[in-house]
């Protein structure tokens, strides 16, 4: 059975940092691409950072230069280091995983179509 369990969320002031973790089990972590999505109140869920099975990373412009996605294959864990946080970063953060066949990562990485999803961890940034 697949499990994605996020942790590390919390409340922080603008300019602060948080590190999110996503513990994965039940699938071939090293061969899947993964991503972090977030959903602010009243808004649609959006992808912010993604990483493919080879470690290639991509970021949305809103977080580029401030967020870093990484993964530890030995621990089957995905991370999101978030620095210089802004109030706009407030929301529920989800990790997601997919086998990403062919050009999936190149063309579909920001879509809400990943096969596996976690339950989310809340991030609150106060200004």
């Amino acid at each position: 059975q697949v499990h994605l369990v996020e942790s590390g969320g919390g409340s922080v002031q603008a300019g602060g940092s948080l590190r999110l973790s996503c513990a994965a089990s039940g699938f071939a972590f090293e061969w899947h691409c993964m991503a972090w999505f977030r959903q602010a109140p009243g808004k649609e869920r959006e992808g912010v950072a993604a990483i493919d099975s080879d470690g290639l990373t991509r970021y949305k412009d809103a977080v580029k230069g401030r967020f870093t996605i990484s993964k530890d294959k030995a621990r089957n864990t995905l991370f999101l280091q978030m620095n210089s946080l802004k109030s706009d970063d407030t929301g529920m953060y989800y990790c997601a995983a997919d086998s990403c066949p062919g050009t999936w990562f190149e063309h579909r990485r920001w879509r809400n179509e990943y096969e596996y999803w976690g339950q989310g961890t809340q991030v609150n940034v106060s200004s």
Side-chain angles (χ1 to χ4, degrees), residues 100-126:
C100 294
T103 61
W104 199 99
F105 185 79
E106 180 180 356
H107 297 297
R108 305 167 79 91
R109 60 180 177 265
W110 302 131
R111 297 188 183 187
N112 283 274
E113 299 173 352
Y114 283 69
E115 185 174 6
Y116 306 125
W117 292 86
Q119 294 300 306
T121 185
Q122 181 68 36
V123 171
N124 294 312
V125 184
S126 58

Side-chain angles (χ1 to χ4, degrees), residues 61-72:
D61 286 346
V63 307
K64 200 172 291 184
R66 300 187 297 119
F67 289 12
T68 302
I69 188 172
S70 62
K71 58 183 178 180
D72 184 334

Side-chain angles (χ1 to χ4, degrees), residues 2 6 10 15 17 19 34 46 50 53 61 79 82 91-92 96 122:
V2 172
E6 301 94 336
S17 298
R19 188 192 195 205
M34 301 191 71
E46 62 170 352
S53 58
D61 286 346
F79 301 100
M82 304 187 296
M92 184 70 78
Q122 181 68 36

Side-chain angles (χ1 to χ4, degrees), residues 41-75:
K43 294 187 177 181
E44 293 187 354
R45 187 165 59 185
E46 62 170 352
V48 296
I51 185 168
D52 76 358
S53 58
D54 292 327
L56 178 69
T57 58
R58 291 291 185 262
Y59 300 92
K60 280 290 190 68
D61 286 346
V63 307
K64 200 172 291 184
R66 300 187 297 119
F67 289 12
T68 302
I69 188 172
S70 62
K71 58 183 178 180
D72 184 334
K73 292 182 179 181
R75 295 165 56 190

